[in-house]
């Protein structure tokens, strides 16, 4: 294959990162590497790429060096390919289309755990937003700070949801569910028989977020392989900022207490290939203080062939409208609408969750 223009590829990456509103330091890294390399004679560039000494040059790091090596081999750099997925699309229009295509929300809380409102209010607000369904996913027992539901309370909640569903407008239903803690050994924090009964199971890591990489990866992959888990919730656990000004809500204690928190460390290739292999969805969590996964990881999950769920993780009715934040991030990362499970009708969604283990 004939070599590509490595400098042009780096500049293209910088442009696309900027277009996708990525952090300035990341854009600069590619621009300064491009400038450094543009000053080199072509044969020195090739010689350094072959000898692996590009990173000795100022402004050239591991990631940019890898891109250059790929370009010189005549391949489109993987980094560029991921970004190019959204090239030429109107990102705002794509985000709006995606939001319009959503038929429901698969991660929400009520005042049975740490939410601020009764189930009925959450359901009515969701119906008014035009949703066809709302999965109620209150916390599991070990998350005591969030009043996680014991098996008995969850059984009572299931009876209650059945009664509420009877009274709701036609064309709308509450799906039963849980946001179940992924425990230290990768098992799920609720009785097997109950997990099997629920419509939607979101599994999230809420403890031991500082686990070292290999342990966290193993823990997550075991949970993803568990037939009861349908959706991997806010996979890095990061907190990017405290609540934005003007956005308040009752309840929501667990979320408000945390300020910023770094993402947990795991091998994203292993985690996302497990999601693709077992047919599980990666959640795009719409909460402004979470923005989880980071865009870099969403792009990796797109490439891995994963399904997605664009969820609000709402703890109050008004927060059910936060899906547009998740849609913007999904559009920036080239997430195809047909791979977003909550664009599906409830019956298709339930057939999909049933293929895992009911
Ligand atoms: Zn959570
Ligand atoms: Zn949640």
């Amino acid at each position: 294959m004939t070599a590509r223009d490595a400098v042009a590829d780096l500049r293209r990456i910088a442009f696309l990162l900027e277009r996708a509103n990525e952090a300035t330091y990341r854009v600069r890294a590619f621009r300064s590497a491009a400038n450094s390399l543009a000053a080199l004679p072509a044969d020195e560039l090739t010689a350094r790429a072959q000898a692996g000494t590009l990173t000795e040059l100022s402004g050239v790091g591991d990631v940019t060096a890898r891109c250059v090596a790929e370009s010189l081999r005549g391949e489109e750099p993987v980094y560029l390919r991921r970004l190019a997925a959204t090239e030429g699309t109107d990102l705002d229009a794509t985000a709006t289309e995606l939001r319009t295509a959503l038929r429901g929300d698969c991660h929400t809380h009520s005042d049975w755990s740490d939410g601020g409102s009764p189930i009925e209010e959450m359901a009515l607000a969701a119906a008014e937003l035009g949703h066809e369904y709302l999965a109620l996913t209150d916390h599991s027992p070990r998350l005591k700070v969030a009043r996680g539901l014991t098996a008995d309370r969850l059984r009572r909640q299931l009876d209650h949801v059945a009664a509420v569903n009877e009274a709701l407008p036609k064309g709308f239903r509450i799906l039963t569910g849980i946001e179940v803690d992924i425990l230290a050994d990768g098992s799920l924090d609720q009785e097997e028989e109950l997990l099997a009964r629920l419509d939607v199971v979101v599994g999230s890591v809420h403890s031991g977020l500082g686990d070292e990489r290999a342990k966290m990866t193993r823990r997550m992959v075991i949970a993803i392989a568990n037939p009861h888990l349908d959706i991997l919730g806010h996979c890095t656990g990061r907190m990017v900022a405290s609540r934005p000004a003007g956005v308040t809500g009752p309840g929501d204690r667990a979320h408000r207490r945390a300020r910023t928190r770094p993402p947990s460390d795991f091998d994203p290739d292993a985690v996302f290939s497990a999601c693709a292999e077992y047919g599980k969805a990666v959640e795009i969590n719409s909460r402004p203080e979470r923005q989880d996964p980071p865009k870099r990881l969403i792009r990796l999950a797109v490439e891995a062939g994963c399904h997605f769920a664009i969820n609000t993780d709402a703890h109050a009715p008004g927060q059910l409208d936060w899906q547009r934040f998740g849609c913007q991030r999904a559009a920036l990362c080239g997430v195809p609408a047909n791979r977003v499970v909550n664009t599906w009708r409830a019956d298709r969604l339930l057939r999909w969750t049933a293929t895992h283990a009911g």
Side-chain angles (χ1 to χ4, degrees):
M1 275 195 276
T2 37
R4 293 163 60 95
D5 183 339
V7 171
D9 280 348
L10 293 179
R11 291 209 166 109
R12 191 81 200 133
I13 289 171
F15 172 83
L16 291 171
L17 283 171
E18 233 153 27
R19 180 175 187 266
N21 207 14
E22 292 283 352
T24 311
Y25 75 87
R26 197 163 283 155
V27 178
R28 273 203 201 120
F30 283 94
R31 284 243 162 81
S32 56
N35 291 337
S36 247
L37 298 176
L40 281 188
D43 49 348
E44 189 185 339
L45 180 65
T46 314
R48 279 186 176 274
Q50 276 163 0
T53 59
L54 282 170
T55 51
E56 290 171 3
L57 300 168
S58 90
V60 182
D62 288 337
V63 177
T64 44
R66 199 179 319 132
C67 293
V68 171
E70 289 165 339
S71 298
L72 293 179
R73 283 202 301 270
E75 299 161 13
E76 182 178 24
V78 175
Y79 205 105
L80 176 56
R81 193 173 74 222
R82 283 184 195 134
L83 286 167
T86 58
E87 207 175 350
T89 57
D90 177 340
L91 295 172
D92 289 336
T94 309
T96 305
E97 274 167 35
L98 204 47
R99 173 62 194 88
T100 310
L102 294 181
R103 295 173 185 274
D105 198 327
C106 292
H107 182 169
T108 67
H109 298 273
S110 73
D111 61 3
W112 283 59
S113 65
D114 61 346
S117 295
I119 296 168
E120 293 83 343
E121 268 182 47
M122 293 296 286
L124 287 173
E128 270 166 33
L129 274 177
H131 283 337
E132 295 170 18
Y133 52 88
L134 175 82
L136 176 65
T137 56
D138 277 317
H139 288 288
S140 66
R142 304 262 182 120
L143 204 60
K144 291 207 167 62
V145 289
R147 297 180 59 233
L149 272 61
T150 60
D152 279 346
R153 285 183 68 216
L154 180 53
R155 280 192 193 90
R156 280 207 297 284
Q157 185 180 67
L158 294 181
D159 292 339
H160 183 69
V161 167
V164 175
N165 262 335
E166 289 293 312
L168 284 172
K170 286 267 167 291
F172 179 86
R173 64 191 280 199
I174 303 169
L175 305 179
T176 61
I178 187 170
E179 181 182 14
V180 67
D181 269 39
I182 296 175
L183 301 174
D185 61 357
S187 61
L188 303 180
D189 179 32
Q190 190 46 278
E191 289 177 12
E192 175 112 22
E193 172 267 330
L194 269 170
L195 292 174
R197 267 175 73 188
L198 298 169
D199 293 327
V200 177
V201 174
V202 177
S204 307
V205 173
H206 289 118
S207 60
L209 286 154
D211 275 0
E212 60 91 17
R213 186 177 175 95
K215 181 164 187 257
M216 181 61 91
T217 304
R218 199 162 48 242
R219 178 180 179 189
M220 292 171 80
V221 169
I222 289 170
I224 292 160
N226 186 315
H228 297 301
L229 184 144
D230 301 310
I231 298 169
L232 178 64
H234 53 66
C235 65
T236 77
R238 74 171 181 172
M239 290 285 176
V240 291
S242 52
R243 184 180 292 288
V247 180
T248 53
D252 212 353
R253 285 185 293 264
H255 289 285
R256 195 165 45 220
R257 199 180 46 254
R259 301 243 179 228
T260 63
R261 184 165 62 211
S264 58
D265 190 16
F266 57 85
D267 173 358
D269 292 320
V271 165
F272 296 143
S273 62
C275 286
E277 180 186 345
Y278 293 103
K280 308 303 175 70
V282 175
E283 174 180 81
I284 295 176
N285 189 296
S286 303
R287 296 190 68 83
E289 78 279 23
R290 284 194 180 271
Q291 303 183 25
D292 198 3
K295 294 197 281 290
R296 180 178 60 85
L297 293 188
I298 299 177
R299 291 192 183 99
L300 273 179
V302 171
E303 283 235 334
C306 296
H307 280 90
F308 295 88
I310 302 176
N311 293 333
T312 61
D313 196 358
H315 285 65
Q319 298 175 3
L320 289 167
D321 203 20
W322 286 359
Q323 269 177 331
R324 63 184 189 279
F325 303 139
C327 290
Q328 279 158 3
R329 299 166 51 66
L332 290 171
C333 299
V335 173
N338 61 8
R339 277 208 248 153
V340 178
V341 299
N342 49 328
T343 64
W344 301 345
R345 288 188 187 286
D347 52 355
R348 181 172 175 202
L349 180 77
L350 294 180
R351 276 202 305 278
W352 170 73
T353 62
T355 58
H356 306 143

